[in-house]
Amino acid sequence: MTTPPPDDPHPAVPYGTPDAPRIAVRGEAHLEVDPEIARLHITVASRGKDRRTALEDLTRRNTTALNLIKTYGDAVERLETGAFSITPQLKEGRGERVHAYHGNVHITAELTDFTALGELTTRLADLDLTRVDGPWWTLRPDSPAHRQARQQAVREAVQRAREYAEALGTTLAALVELADLGAENTPPAYPAAPGSRMRSMARGATEDTAAPLDLEPQRQRVHAQVNARFTMAPPQL
């Protein structure tokens, strides 16, 4: 890195000059919005005295769960199968005698229609040896809420800089730098705000099926920050 010689007519002045003072501010935005996606984790299990029985039961139950989820059509945006395992269970005592086999398949389903979520969750939980975890509420990575938060943070930075300039009896002259500190979606630490209640709707429920869960979508927090530097007209101090 080189240092400008003392006789340089235009030395670098990172903090502005008396003729062009700088203002450095931070703009922030905090939004609360409704979620766009509900994610369910489904674990289908089986148990048999021999490997073939455990595998066949697991295959059948996995197919039943997948077919059930697929009946909800466009309400399911993504359906994925994750880890699969068949594990021998050893009998206590000496030696390595297999007592039984346990099987597991993990399924992830993402829904965008929350009116079907409660019923699907209940019907999945009603299947044999099937565990349901969730829902986890979230936003899409390209959700308009992220853009809204970033734009609001920029407007807040400009407004804050203007207020500082006005306090000095002057005005902003130019934008020197705008640094994006990133926008992130963090899970809320409190229940959904009043007024965001969404009820699940039963579709052909019978006396043999449990009543659909009434799930409450969890509001999402979206946060954005920017650093901005401006020059302003010289104030009369």
Side-chain angles (χ1 to χ4, degrees):
M1 181 176 180
T2 60
T3 303
D7 57 349
D8 190 339
H10 301 289
V13 183
Y15 300 108
T17 67
D19 294 331
R22 289 191 183 183
I23 298 178
V25 297
R26 172 172 294 182
E28 295 181 289
H30 301 271
L31 305 181
E32 291 184 8
V33 298
D34 290 330
E36 297 170 341
I37 294 173
R39 182 178 296 112
L40 295 176
H41 291 173
I42 303 104
T43 303
V44 181
S46 68
R47 185 177 185 274
K49 292 185 177 181
D50 58 81
R51 187 186 301 270
R52 175 60 63 86
T53 300
L55 182 58
E56 289 178 348
D57 287 347
L58 184 62
T59 300
R60 175 175 51 82
R61 289 171 181 151
N62 177 66
T63 300
T64 299
L66 290 176
N67 288 342
L68 173 58
I69 297 170
K70 291 176 182 178
T71 61
Y72 286 80
D74 293 339
V76 181
E77 184 173 90
R78 177 179 295 181
L79 178 60
E80 298 176 339
T81 300
F84 156 80
S85 65
I86 289 287
T87 307
Q89 180 183 9
L90 300 180
K91 190 173 184 178
E92 295 182 1
R94 295 182 178 180
E96 295 183 350
R97 298 179 57 187
V98 177
H99 176 64
Y101 288 87
H102 289 192
N104 285 282
V105 172
H106 299 275
I107 303 169
T108 300
E110 292 184 355
L111 283 79
T112 55
D113 181 358
F114 301 155
T115 60
L117 179 64
E119 180 187 320
L120 175 59
T121 302
T122 303
R123 294 178 67 184
L124 286 169
D126 201 35
L127 298 178
D128 292 338
L129 294 182
T130 301
R131 170 177 171 175
V132 182
D133 294 298
W136 285 273
W137 310 94
T138 187
L139 299 173
R140 293 186 177 89
D142 60 349
S143 171
H146 298 300
R147 179 176 56 131
Q148 181 182 354
R150 289 190 290 266
Q151 292 178 341
Q152 184 171 320
V154 172
R155 288 192 292 267
E156 203 262 350
V158 174
Q159 179 62 29
R160 182 174 294 187
R162 282 176 177 163
E163 291 173 356
Y164 284 134
E166 290 173 359
L168 293 170
T170 186
T171 58
L172 297 180
L175 172 67
V176 176
E177 180 181 320
L178 183 66
D180 182 9
L181 301 186
E184 61 182 4
N185 175 32
T186 57
Y190 50 85
S196 64
R197 190 175 184 83
M198 297 184 185
R199 291 183 175 273
S200 60
M201 296 176 61
R203 298 183 348 184
T206 67
E207 295 180 357
D208 295 332
T209 60
L213 287 172
D214 188 3
L215 299 175
E216 187 84 13
Q218 198 173 45
R219 298 276 285 179
Q220 302 295 291
R221 288 182 179 178
V222 183
H223 176 59
Q225 284 185 335
V226 294
N227 280 343
R229 291 180 174 84
F230 303 85
T231 59
M232 60 182 175
Q236 299 297 321
L237 301 178

